[in-house]
Structures are given as structure tokens and as C-alpha cells.
Amino acid sequence: MADNQSEQDKAASSLDESVTAEIRQLAEQMIAEAENGRLSDAVAVVNKLNELRDRTLYQEVGKLTRAVHESIKNLSIESIGAGSEIANTTDKLTYVVEMTDKSANKTMDLVDASVPKIADIQQQAGALSQRWDKFLKRELKPDEFRQLSRDIQTFLQQSQDVGQQVQGNLSEIMLAQDYQDLTGQIIHKVAELVKDIESRLVSLVAMAGTLDSLTGISHPEEVEAQPATDNHGNIAAEGPQVNTADNNVVSSQDDVDDLLSSLGF
Amino acid sequence: MKILIVDDFSTMRRIVKNLLRDLGFTNTAEADDGNTALPMLQSGDFDFLVTDWNMPGMTGLELLKRVRADDKLKHLPVLMVTAEAKRDQIVAAAQAGVNGYVVKPFTAAVLKEKIDKIFERVEG
């Protein structure tokens, strides 16, 4: 990569030198013509100088255009994996939105289901407590007490059931928070991609900024395709699979179980 | 029963910890990647390891391999709870000696089933 860069620099300076030499030669010619009193010839040399400047500028613009074009191509193809990664990223972000939406709704549904149950128990407990106070003050008739004792029995059973239901709902709420981990992994990946695109855009801007010295197409450092293994040659982690329709991806825990049992588990 | 929960996301550690508590396993410890988990496993008397795969530092797969390569730890039951869902990856985990594999998002029932199954096999 460094060699490539220095070659380009060499190309740039050699072209600059040839242009400079041509300018110097034309200038000297112009002075000579002027000194010899051949003014029209001198003016013709000035025109040649103009042409030279225009030609150089057109060449530079042409090269810049090509460089920009190459950079854009690299931006969408090489760096981002066959151009599909942007679309992929959109899918991933959509997945994040879906996951958070699902979790938020699930949590709120469970809260909505729990609140009236608790409120009901609370209200019944209040009413029973008043009747119990009456009993303690010996203000209850015998058949009122029999009714109270039946109601207390029902209430205790109901409290037990509601307690169990709400406990179940609470642990489901806990589980519904798993989106944070899954979406977090995806967002990390998207952030990496954005960083990559940013660095490529920066190099594109730098390229455009050096119009004067730009003479060859400078290729931004090529990103080698990362194999799906880590430094130790281990199979790498990839994060949540968004597209479970992919044949290489299991779509459910049942698939995992089938696969493992096929391996003798 | 002492269980080590390894995941880089604290929310997921909390979820797993709570689920394990609901299942009656109250003695748990947490680590945020393989590098912190391995010394804990080596010095502590853990009976069970629940680990994520995708973590910075040392991944869960690497941790699993290290555990299997360690004379003291090689029989430790390991349950992988991960979002990694490619067939190749599951096969790789199986080859590395995982005892169970749960893909996220999972349910309490699935976690319980896998844990029960692992202990059935380990004890049986």
C-alpha cells in the first residue's frame, strides 16, 4: 500500500515537473520573442501558455472525477460487502425497531394485566378489613360472621391465585428486557459500519481537497474481506441473525435442538 | 449449586440470574467476558457455567475451549445462551463440547428444560 502511494506521489511530481518544464520553456521562448521585437509571436506563446493551463486543468478535473467515481464504487461495494450491507443494515435497524416495539408492548400488556388484579385484591382487603374491625368490636350478627368467614376464605384463595399470576407476569416482564442485549449487539455492528463509511468519506473529501496535486487515482486502502473466523482461526461470533429465512441460520430453538440431536446430543 | 453467568450485557446477565433464581438456583456469580470468567472458574467452586458467545475480550466459544482444556474444569457442564444462530456455529459449539445451546430470544421454559436436561445427563 505504501509503495503504491509513493509511486503515485512520484507520478504526481514527475507530471508536475513536465508541466513546469513546459511552462518554463514557453516563458523563455516568450521573453526571447519579446526581446527580439517579435511581439505577435510572443502573444502566440502566451496563448500556448493559456492552452497548457486549460489542458492541465481539464486533465486534473478528469482525474478527480475518476477518483471520486472509484471512491464511490469502493464505498458501496468493496468496503460494504457486495453492496448488500447497506440494505442489510436497514433490515437490522428495522429489526431493532421491531424488537424494542415488541418488548415495550409486551411489558405494557403484562403491566396492564397485573394492575387491575392487584387493585381488586387491595380493594377487597380494605372492605374485609372493615368487616373484620366490626367483628372485633362484636358488632356482627352470627350469620353476618358466617358470611364474613366464607368471604375471607374466598379472598385468601383469590390472593394466592393473583399472587401467582402477577409473579408470572413479572418474570415475563423481566424476560422481555432481553431486547437490550440483542438490539445492542446490532447497534454496535451498525455503528462499526457507519465508522467505516465515515473514514472512507473522509478520504474522499481529502482527495477532492488536493485537486492541485492530484494526478493519479489514489485507491483508499483496500479492506480485506474478513473471513468469519477470529485471530485464532476459531469460528467467529456474528451477533443476532436478522434473516432467519437464510438456510444457514436456525429459525428457532427447535431447530437448534434438532441440529444438536443429529450430532448425537 | 453454584452457577457462573457470563455475558457482556448486564441486562442479559440479570435476566438469566432472575430466571435461575425462579428455578431455585440462588447461588450465582457474574462475569462480563471469558477473560474475567476463566480465573473465577479456576479459583471458585462452580458447578455450572452459563455463557454468551459474542463478547469482547474472550468469546464464549474460546472460554468453552479453555474450560475443556483445563484438567480441573473439563467436566464442568456448560450451557451456551447466545444470539448466534448459524448452523456452522452450533456445530462448532457442539464440537467444542458444549452441553446445551439456547438461542436468544428464549423463554424461561426453554432455559429450564435445557438446564434440567443437562443435569439429568450429568447425574445419570
Side-chain angles (χ1 to χ4, degrees), chain B residues 47-83:
Chain B
D47 304 295
F48 189 41
L49 169 64
V50 179
T51 183
D52 184 25
W53 180 324
N54 192 2
M55 295 177 287
M58 193 196 292
T59 66
L61 187 69
E62 185 61 28
L63 176 64
L64 172 62
K65 288 179 177 172
R66 297 283 199 94
V67 164
R68 290 292 173 255
D70 187 316
D71 271 346
K72 200 181 143 222
L73 298 173
K74 63 183 173 194
H75 297 301
L76 181 74
V78 179
L79 175 66
M80 210 163 235
V81 178
T82 172

Tab-separated table of all heavy atoms in Angstrom, chain B residues 47-83:
chain	number	residue	atom	x	y	z
B	47	ASP	N	-20.377	-25.095	39.782
B	47	ASP	CA	-20.912	-26.383	39.355
B	47	ASP	C	-21.474	-26.303	37.948
B	47	ASP	O	-21.818	-27.316	37.347
B	47	ASP	CB	-22.040	-26.810	40.304
B	47	ASP	CG	-21.574	-26.841	41.739
B	47	ASP	OD1	-20.703	-27.674	42.042
B	47	ASP	OD2	-22.046	-26.011	42.548
B	48	PHE	N	-21.626	-25.071	37.451
B	48	PHE	CA	-22.334	-24.915	36.187
B	48	PHE	C	-21.943	-23.568	35.578
B	48	PHE	O	-21.768	-22.585	36.293
B	48	PHE	CB	-23.849	-24.974	36.465
B	48	PHE	CG	-24.708	-25.044	35.241
B	48	PHE	CD1	-24.353	-25.829	34.160
B	48	PHE	CD2	-25.897	-24.327	35.175
B	48	PHE	CE1	-25.168	-25.902	33.041
B	48	PHE	CE2	-26.716	-24.391	34.052
B	48	PHE	CZ	-26.341	-25.193	32.986
B	49	LEU	N	-21.795	-23.565	34.240
B	49	LEU	CA	-21.435	-22.330	33.550
B	49	LEU	C	-22.489	-22.019	32.482
B	49	LEU	O	-22.818	-22.877	31.658
B	49	LEU	CB	-20.054	-22.491	32.893
B	49	LEU	CG	-19.598	-21.402	31.915
B	49	LEU	CD1	-19.439	-20.056	32.612
B	49	LEU	CD2	-18.281	-21.797	31.259
B	50	VAL	N	-23.037	-20.809	32.558
B	50	VAL	CA	-23.966	-20.327	31.524
B	50	VAL	C	-23.257	-19.183	30.827
B	50	VAL	O	-22.922	-18.180	31.464
B	50	VAL	CB	-25.288	-19.822	32.136
B	50	VAL	CG1	-26.216	-19.306	31.042
B	50	VAL	CG2	-25.974	-20.928	32.923
B	51	THR	N	-22.986	-19.336	29.528
B	51	THR	CA	-22.217	-18.276	28.857
B	51	THR	C	-22.814	-17.862	27.514
B	51	THR	O	-23.389	-18.668	26.785
B	51	THR	CB	-20.736	-18.684	28.680
B	51	THR	OG1	-20.028	-17.597	28.080
B	51	THR	CG2	-20.586	-19.929	27.823
B	52	ASP	N	-22.653	-16.578	27.249
B	52	ASP	CA	-22.955	-15.991	25.947
B	52	ASP	C	-21.812	-16.375	25.009
B	52	ASP	O	-20.778	-16.872	25.456
B	52	ASP	CB	-23.014	-14.465	26.142
B	52	ASP	CG	-23.412	-13.723	24.881
B	52	ASP	OD1	-24.077	-14.316	24.018
B	52	ASP	OD2	-23.071	-12.532	24.778
B	53	TRP	N	-21.988	-16.135	23.719
B	53	TRP	CA	-20.897	-16.397	22.781
B	53	TRP	C	-20.160	-15.095	22.441
B	53	TRP	O	-18.972	-14.936	22.663
B	53	TRP	CB	-21.451	-17.046	21.515
B	53	TRP	CG	-20.435	-17.383	20.452
B	53	TRP	CD1	-19.322	-16.680	20.116
B	53	TRP	CD2	-20.451	-18.539	19.611
B	53	TRP	NE1	-18.644	-17.307	19.109
B	53	TRP	CE2	-19.306	-18.450	18.769
B	53	TRP	CE3	-21.323	-19.629	19.460
B	53	TRP	CZ2	-19.028	-19.421	17.807
B	53	TRP	CZ3	-21.030	-20.579	18.495
B	53	TRP	CH2	-19.897	-20.472	17.693
B	54	ASN	N	-20.935	-14.151	21.910
B	54	ASN	CA	-20.328	-12.939	21.343
B	54	ASN	C	-20.004	-11.932	22.445
B	54	ASN	O	-20.868	-11.219	22.916
B	54	ASN	CB	-21.315	-12.333	20.346
B	54	ASN	CG	-20.690	-11.260	19.484
B	54	ASN	OD1	-19.494	-10.979	19.610
B	54	ASN	ND2	-21.473	-10.652	18.630
B	55	MET	N	-18.729	-11.910	22.852
B	55	MET	CA	-18.308	-10.963	23.890
B	55	MET	C	-16.947	-10.407	23.501
B	55	MET	O	-16.154	-11.095	22.863
B	55	MET	CB	-18.186	-11.679	25.241
B	55	MET	CG	-19.498	-12.206	25.779
B	55	MET	SD	-19.289	-13.100	27.329
B	55	MET	CE	-18.513	-14.613	26.793
B	56	PRO	N	-16.666	-9.162	23.882
B	56	PRO	CA	-15.327	-8.624	23.626
B	56	PRO	C	-14.342	-9.361	24.528
B	56	PRO	O	-14.766	-10.044	25.459
B	56	PRO	CB	-15.454	-7.159	24.039
B	56	PRO	CG	-16.571	-7.135	25.027
B	56	PRO	CD	-17.514	-8.233	24.629
B	57	GLY	N	-13.058	-9.207	24.255
B	57	GLY	CA	-12.100	-9.961	25.061
B	57	GLY	C	-12.140	-11.411	24.638
B	57	GLY	O	-11.908	-11.727	23.486
B	58	MET	N	-12.492	-12.298	25.575
B	58	MET	CA	-12.569	-13.706	25.220
B	58	MET	C	-14.018	-14.093	24.962
B	58	MET	O	-14.888	-13.855	25.793
B	58	MET	CB	-11.984	-14.569	26.336
B	58	MET	CG	-11.747	-16.006	25.916
B	58	MET	SD	-11.510	-17.101	27.331
B	58	MET	CE	-9.960	-16.527	27.953
B	59	THR	N	-14.266	-14.710	23.801
B	59	THR	CA	-15.639	-15.098	23.469
B	59	THR	C	-16.046	-16.332	24.276
B	59	THR	O	-15.198	-17.008	24.866
B	59	THR	CB	-15.773	-15.442	21.980
B	59	THR	OG1	-15.002	-16.627	21.734
B	59	THR	CG2	-15.295	-14.312	21.092
B	60	GLY	N	-17.331	-16.640	24.227
B	60	GLY	CA	-17.844	-17.798	24.940
B	60	GLY	C	-17.300	-19.100	24.386
B	60	GLY	O	-17.053	-20.046	25.136
B	61	LEU	N	-17.093	-19.137	23.070
B	61	LEU	CA	-16.573	-20.361	22.454
B	61	LEU	C	-15.146	-20.616	22.923
B	61	LEU	O	-14.775	-21.743	23.267
B	61	LEU	CB	-16.615	-20.251	20.926
B	61	LEU	CG	-16.240	-21.549	20.200
B	61	LEU	CD1	-17.313	-22.611	20.401
B	61	LEU	CD2	-16.020	-21.311	18.721
B	62	GLU	N	-14.354	-19.541	22.948
B	62	GLU	CA	-12.975	-19.646	23.409
B	62	GLU	C	-12.959	-20.079	24.883
B	62	GLU	O	-12.170	-20.948	25.276
B	62	GLU	CB	-12.275	-18.287	23.236
B	62	GLU	CG	-10.795	-18.266	23.566
B	62	GLU	CD	-9.948	-19.189	22.703
B	62	GLU	OE1	-10.344	-19.442	21.548
B	62	GLU	OE2	-8.907	-19.672	23.194
B	63	LEU	N	-13.853	-19.486	25.669
B	63	LEU	CA	-13.953	-19.846	27.086
B	63	LEU	C	-14.281	-21.329	27.225
B	63	LEU	O	-13.664	-22.043	28.030
B	63	LEU	CB	-15.027	-18.985	27.767
B	63	LEU	CG	-15.315	-19.302	29.234
B	63	LEU	CD1	-14.100	-19.025	30.111
B	63	LEU	CD2	-16.509	-18.490	29.739
B	64	LEU	N	-15.220	-21.797	26.409
B	64	LEU	CA	-15.612	-23.207	26.434
B	64	LEU	C	-14.402	-24.101	26.137
B	64	LEU	O	-14.164	-25.102	26.820
B	64	LEU	CB	-16.723	-23.438	25.400
B	64	LEU	CG	-17.144	-24.872	25.119
B	64	LEU	CD1	-17.714	-25.533	26.354
B	64	LEU	CD2	-18.164	-24.912	23.987
B	65	LYS	N	-13.625	-23.685	25.127
B	65	LYS	CA	-12.445	-24.481	24.758
B	65	LYS	C	-11.425	-24.508	25.892
B	65	LYS	O	-10.814	-25.540	26.169
B	65	LYS	CB	-11.816	-23.924	23.486
B	65	LYS	CG	-12.659	-24.215	22.248
B	65	LYS	CD	-12.035	-23.643	21.002
B	65	LYS	CE	-12.859	-24.015	19.773
B	65	LYS	NZ	-12.375	-23.311	18.562
B	66	ARG	N	-11.252	-23.336	26.529
B	66	ARG	CA	-10.295	-23.256	27.647
B	66	ARG	C	-10.752	-24.134	28.812
B	66	ARG	O	-9.941	-24.785	29.466
B	66	ARG	CB	-10.165	-21.820	28.138
B	66	ARG	CG	-9.613	-20.863	27.101
B	66	ARG	CD	-8.104	-21.039	26.954
B	66	ARG	NE	-7.539	-19.857	26.333
B	66	ARG	CZ	-7.028	-18.825	27.001
B	66	ARG	NH1	-6.974	-18.839	28.306
B	66	ARG	NH2	-6.555	-17.776	26.360
B	67	VAL	N	-12.066	-24.114	29.047
B	67	VAL	CA	-12.615	-24.926	30.141
B	67	VAL	C	-12.368	-26.404	29.856
B	67	VAL	O	-11.917	-27.155	30.716
B	67	VAL	CB	-14.123	-24.634	30.324
B	67	VAL	CG1	-14.801	-25.714	31.150
B	67	VAL	CG2	-14.324	-23.275	30.971
B	68	ARG	N	-12.636	-26.804	28.610
B	68	ARG	CA	-12.450	-28.221	28.248
B	68	ARG	C	-10.976	-28.632	28.276
B	68	ARG	O	-10.663	-29.812	28.423
B	68	ARG	CB	-13.053	-28.479	26.869
B	68	ARG	CG	-14.580	-28.413	26.832
B	68	ARG	CD	-15.218	-29.565	27.602
B	68	ARG	NE	-16.674	-29.403	27.688
B	68	ARG	CZ	-17.322	-29.026	28.784
B	68	ARG	NH1	-16.637	-28.781	29.898
B	68	ARG	NH2	-18.629	-28.901	28.802
B	69	ALA	N	-10.081	-27.635	28.095
B	69	ALA	CA	-8.649	-27.943	28.074
B	69	ALA	C	-8.058	-27.936	29.483
B	69	ALA	O	-6.909	-28.337	29.680
B	69	ALA	CB	-7.918	-26.936	27.186
B	70	ASP	N	-8.824	-27.474	30.454
B	70	ASP	CA	-8.333	-27.362	31.821
B	70	ASP	C	-8.695	-28.635	32.595
B	70	ASP	O	-9.863	-29.002	32.688
B	70	ASP	CB	-8.978	-26.123	32.471
B	70	ASP	CG	-8.405	-25.825	33.843
B	70	ASP	OD1	-8.225	-26.773	34.650
B	70	ASP	OD2	-8.156	-24.650	34.114
B	71	ASP	N	-7.674	-29.294	33.137
B	71	ASP	CA	-7.897	-30.572	33.818
B	71	ASP	C	-8.923	-30.472	34.927
B	71	ASP	O	-9.734	-31.365	35.125
B	71	ASP	CB	-6.579	-31.102	34.391
B	71	ASP	CG	-5.860	-31.965	33.366
B	71	ASP	OD1	-6.523	-32.329	32.360
B	71	ASP	OD2	-4.665	-32.238	33.559
B	72	LYS	N	-8.872	-29.339	35.638
B	72	LYS	CA	-9.760	-29.175	36.794
B	72	LYS	C	-11.198	-28.874	36.355
B	72	LYS	O	-12.150	-29.209	37.038
B	72	LYS	CB	-9.217	-28.033	37.659
B	72	LYS	CG	-9.738	-28.067	39.085
B	72	LYS	CD	-9.188	-26.903	39.898
B	72	LYS	CE	-10.260	-26.391	40.838
B	72	LYS	NZ	-10.323	-24.957	40.903
B	73	LEU	N	-11.321	-28.235	35.194
B	73	LEU	CA	-12.640	-27.735	34.784
B	73	LEU	C	-13.305	-28.552	33.680
B	73	LEU	O	-14.456	-28.316	33.335
B	73	LEU	CB	-12.514	-26.287	34.294
B	73	LEU	CG	-12.040	-25.250	35.305
B	73	LEU	CD1	-11.812	-23.918	34.606
B	73	LEU	CD2	-13.047	-25.102	36.430
B	74	LYS	N	-12.570	-29.525	33.118
B	74	LYS	CA	-13.055	-30.097	31.853
B	74	LYS	C	-14.423	-30.773	31.943
B	74	LYS	O	-15.090	-30.938	30.941
B	74	LYS	CB	-12.016	-31.022	31.228
B	74	LYS	CG	-11.662	-32.235	32.027
B	74	LYS	CD	-10.573	-32.997	31.298
B	74	LYS	CE	-10.071	-34.143	32.149
B	74	LYS	NZ	-8.817	-34.685	31.613
B	75	HIS	N	-14.840	-31.160	33.173
B	75	HIS	CA	-16.148	-31.816	33.279
B	75	HIS	C	-17.264	-30.846	33.635
B	75	HIS	O	-18.409	-31.267	33.811
B	75	HIS	CB	-16.074	-32.948	34.301
B	75	HIS	CG	-15.117	-34.031	33.899
B	75	HIS	ND1	-15.256	-34.732	32.723
B	75	HIS	CD2	-13.983	-34.492	34.480
B	75	HIS	CE1	-14.256	-35.598	32.617
B	75	HIS	NE2	-13.466	-35.461	33.668
B	76	LEU	N	-16.939	-29.568	33.745
B	76	LEU	CA	-17.951	-28.560	34.111
B	76	LEU	C	-19.041	-28.487	33.033
B	76	LEU	O	-18.738	-28.305	31.856
B	76	LEU	CB	-17.272	-27.194	34.246
B	76	LEU	CG	-18.158	-26.015	34.658
B	76	LEU	CD1	-18.519	-26.108	36.133
B	76	LEU	CD2	-17.443	-24.692	34.389
B	77	PRO	N	-20.313	-28.650	33.434
B	77	PRO	CA	-21.376	-28.510	32.429
B	77	PRO	C	-21.465	-27.058	31.941
B	77	PRO	O	-21.409	-26.134	32.752
B	77	PRO	CB	-22.654	-28.896	33.187
B	77	PRO	CG	-22.215	-29.455	34.495
B	77	PRO	CD	-20.843	-28.962	34.757
B	78	VAL	N	-21.570	-26.903	30.625
B	78	VAL	CA	-21.619	-25.559	30.039
B	78	VAL	C	-22.873	-25.418	29.170
B	78	VAL	O	-23.111	-26.221	28.271
B	78	VAL	CB	-20.367	-25.289	29.177
B	78	VAL	CG1	-20.446	-23.895	28.543
B	78	VAL	CG2	-19.096	-25.418	30.009
B	79	LEU	N	-23.650	-24.398	29.469
B	79	LEU	CA	-24.823	-24.089	28.647
B	79	LEU	C	-24.547	-22.778	27.919
B	79	LEU	O	-24.184	-21.783	28.541
B	79	LEU	CB	-26.075	-23.935	29.522
B	79	LEU	CG	-27.349	-23.502	28.786
B	79	LEU	CD1	-27.818	-24.565	27.814
B	79	LEU	CD2	-28.468	-23.179	29.783
B	80	MET	N	-24.679	-22.816	26.605
B	80	MET	CA	-24.464	-21.589	25.847
B	80	MET	C	-25.821	-20.941	25.574
B	80	MET	O	-26.737	-21.593	25.079
B	80	MET	CB	-23.742	-21.912	24.550
B	80	MET	CG	-22.866	-20.786	24.079
B	80	MET	SD	-21.708	-21.376	22.866
B	80	MET	CE	-20.187	-20.862	23.593
B	81	VAL	N	-25.915	-19.673	25.950
B	81	VAL	CA	-27.145	-18.908	25.725
B	81	VAL	C	-26.752	-17.732	24.849
B	81	VAL	O	-26.077	-16.819	25.303
B	81	VAL	CB	-27.752	-18.411	27.050
B	81	VAL	CG1	-28.990	-17.571	26.785
B	81	VAL	CG2	-28.099	-19.584	27.953
B	82	THR	N	-27.105	-17.789	23.579
B	82	THR	CA	-26.500	-16.852	22.630
B	82	THR	C	-27.437	-16.499	21.487
B	82	THR	O	-28.388	-17.228	21.209
B	82	THR	CB	-25.192	-17.473	22.065
B	82	THR	OG1	-24.710	-16.654	21.015
B	82	THR	CG2	-25.439	-18.873	21.515
B	83	ALA	N	-27.145	-15.387	20.835
B	83	ALA	CA	-27.904	-14.989	19.660
B	83	ALA	C	-27.319	-15.621	18.392
B	83	ALA	O	-27.895	-15.506	17.315
B	83	ALA	CB	-27.897	-13.472	19.522
